[in-house]
Amino acid sequence: MDPGPLGLAMEVPVGPSARKESSARKESSARKESSALPAATVPPSNSQLTAAKSVEITVLTAQDLKSIKSNISATSVCVEYNEVILGNSPKTEVLPNGTADYNFTTSFECSPDGPISLDDIAQKPVLLTVMEVLQKEKKQKEKTLPLGQAVVDLLPLLQGECSFKVLAPLYAVPTSPSASLHPEAEGGLEVAVCIQEPLLSAAQLSNSNLLSITLEVAYSVPEEFDPAGPLQNYMACLQVPAAGEREFPLLFKNGILKLAGEKEPLPRPKKWPLANIMAPGALSIPNSFIVGGPYEDEDGELNKREDREFRIQAESTKRVVWDMEGRCYLDPAAVVTLQKRIAECWYWPMEVCRVAVSSPSKGKTSAADKGDEDKQISFHGVAYVNMVPLLCPGVKQIRGAFRVFAYQDSEVLEKTKSQHSVFQDLRTQLGLTKEGLWTPGINTPVPKAVPSKTQKEDKEKIPKDSNRRMSKSSDATAEAENVTYLSLDGQRYAEAGTFLVLEIKLDKALVPKRSQEELTERVKQMIPPRPALSPRTTGAKKAVEDYHNLITNLAVTILSEYRELFGEQLPERGEIDHQTLEEQKHQLNLELSISGEKFVLKEQLQYAVVKIVREKYLKTTVFENQEQLQAFLCELYKYLTDQMHIDLNQLLSKESAFPFPPSRLTEEQLWLFAHEAEFNKDYELASFYHQQRLAQDQHNIQYQLDHGVFCLLLEVPTQAQQCFQQALSLDPHHIQSLLLCGIVAVMLQQYEEAEIFFEDACCLEPTSIVAWTLSGLFYELQNNNIQAEMAFREARKLLRAQLAKERSTPEAAAGEGGEKPLSAECVRSPSPGPGEHLPAPCPGSGRSQPPCTIFMKTVEFLVKVNAIQFAHQALAHELLNPEGGPSCAYYLTLARTYLLKEDLSKCEECLCEAVRIDYVNPNIWALKGHLCYLKRDFGEAKKCYEQTISFVEDAVDMRFVYLRLGSIYLEEKEYGLAKQTYLLACKNSASCLTWLGVGISCYRLDEMVEAEDALSEANALNNTNAEVWGYLALICLHAGRELEAEQCYKYTVKLGLRNDALLREIHGTQHRLGFGNPALGAPGGSPTPTP
């Protein structure tokens, strides 16, 4: 089988003088081989070259030749490509400055059917050999000696260029095998490459690709690899599928066995996989280096933290070094085939072996042939390379370490679907054509037994047909034995822990990644910017305003009529008696009726009242019965009368109305009160505070996000989505909004939109650990394990870089023994980014911090935004993560999620496990106290809260601990402790509830002045708390302030006090003191139900 042009590129070296066969003969031979290939090797789409195109190579000048050899006088240059000499320049004198002007041009034809195709252009350079022309003696021809070599890479021709010029480094050729040379170039050749028209059209250039495979080193090789032993050729090969059934075997030969010692330097140049270069320096590919990198960032195996020590040790032990790069040009059809083959089979076999090479004996002309016959393959192993990452969007490179195992046909077939070894296809090229030198499925052939003389005689008597039948039977038996036989030398790879380090790189990604502009445009299409609503010309507000204006106009009209009738002078004492007032009223009414103005004003007023009924009360249908009509008329009459009094007071008031005091609540206070109400499950009050924040500034992104997070707590994802999309419409590049939109899209099963959101977040903020981790979790939900693993790997890479940066800064080093970073919940407002301000450690104790992982960092964000589904998925990963596991932070966070879902039994189980791991963690005891409080086990809750306060280090949210512990003290009538606890809560973060607790404690301690001050502060923070008004009513009753007591009691009843015990206490005090209840029917008022 023809190994393909790539295999031919790595044949055993031959000197330039031995390769002077005609180009025509080579071309004819190659055409015969090409015509013998099956039709599938030339796909229908492979129309890159419809005709042969001439590539011109012009060697212009040589520089610094005297730095290679000082006494050189004349040189010529030999141009060689694809092991064919294209031509030799004429003899040229070397100038004193070491330069030589050749201006020599030669060319070769590039065609699909010729000996040189696009595959050769991709993988083979032009070899330029500068020859020293010696002075000829009498009657002798001129002699030449190789002076230096340079290579020119033709890859730019496949990248769309028609011409380019390079200064190729010129490396000296050793004069003897033992000569040592300087590794750097000592001269240079200026070379120009030109072609009349591009090799590829624009369409072909955009749809084709270039595959490069770099085999670096085989580490931790078996002990049997001995440099002092017989000469060995260490080889490796990987087959690359092309269009149809055609395959390119990328063969890497002549690996160098190195003893234990120093590591391979980084960076180091990649080498051409060629054997016909005499100058060692010319093997280096220009501008192509092996740079290495952290083990954890690699794509293969042995990239875990526990493998690091083994990798470091292996790099200093015995190894086989190739450092070779092989290339393969992929036409559009081959690109499709490559993508299809990777999808069908994830793992590809990279086979390795060792072939014994016998040196030719002196004096024997056929020794080389005999040496080939003695070749045999051994140590046949295989590494399984996972090619799946190349199917991820935007991925163009795979680099990593891959373990080597013994080659077994059945195992290779199961994992890679390869029917046979690639070395079997290359047996002709490798000289393995003799019987016994190749046996598929094993590494070392089984030795044959030597027949005895009697057996030979019996064999001669057996007929030929019987011999043939017995031969087939014995071959089948031997083959069956070989399949089950495991070669010892192949197993030595696994015993030694051998692994290959290689890199697979594409010029363009197989699956293109969407650009940031495209993603932003898609997001804009899904969430168009919402224009501000135009003010409505009608509505409840407008109807009330029209009513007020009409009342004012009517009052002015009636007042003017009154002044015309009775004048503007008032009586001497400034008062009008009731009888006179009634007479004036009757006369004014009569005059308005006679003039007809009363009916005009009445019609205007009727129209305004109808608008209020329709717009404000939404009454547009007939009432079902007379009772409903009468009830509505009473309500309407009261409202209209109140509004009329407001207008008349403003009109008749001599002083301007006192301006309404602005709200004293800041944005931080509103968020604090909303969070406090959420914690106490007072969702109606929490919604009120969130609406207050939005009313202050509807264009604040964080207000919209917090409201959406509150909707997620209520399990209303549709409303949450509206909030998150509103925030995103304000800023399409806001990372937190994108992530939350993606989370809620997953909840609503809008997976296509969710992918856009997560991808856009990673594109806009590529350093966000949370964004990459959430993307991985999303892809895992979609069963896209490839992209999920790629996203997790990127997140881990970012986390390692972040932790390394923190360890390198003095501030981070000082923080290790000092103050603990804040929890995620403490920095929620105004707007922390999910990846920037989230703390590295999990919410655990500062005494025993677990290793930080990408999943715990993400869980902090998810729990904060009430995304419990994603949080449980991330915690499952944390449980299986080698760097994480069931830590205290894991159980604590899991308990938080169960508490949010009110699954108290599972929450208790997690807290028990957390206490076993870290008994002195204040967060555990705080959460355990909340659990007992919800179970109404107040005695145990009190113990847990007191244990939390006793620690030197505070828990995450101490204000909730203080609030609930203070309420327990009040229930147990320990008012002194309650007062002290509530004052601590006020110091931590004051709110209406904290000051209410202080006021109740002081009231029970008969400290009325302090109680009134505390309750007044609570009322200033929230004047809709009925309990605050109730205790203020009690204080006013005890102080004998009748009017204030009545007002406080009125608001207590109006706001709907739910504390029955407090309401009975108020009623009892009112009954005992005889005042405070303005209700009719009893002296001093009698307790009445809520009106």
Side-chain angles (χ1 to χ4, degrees), residues 336-354:
V336 176
T337 302
L338 177 66
Q339 189 171 350
K340 180 180 178 182
R341 290 286 293 276
I342 294 177
E344 292 175 350
C345 184
W346 291 8
Y347 293 93
W348 288 15
M350 168 68 84
E351 299 183 37
V352 294
C353 71
R354 189 179 75 172

Side-chain angles (χ1 to χ4, degrees), residues 513-525:
K513 186 177 182 179
R514 284 179 283 213
S515 63
Q516 178 179 336
E517 293 76 11
E518 180 184 356
L519 291 170
T520 303
E521 186 62 29
R522 291 285 299 274
V523 171
K524 288 182 178 180
Q525 292 175 0

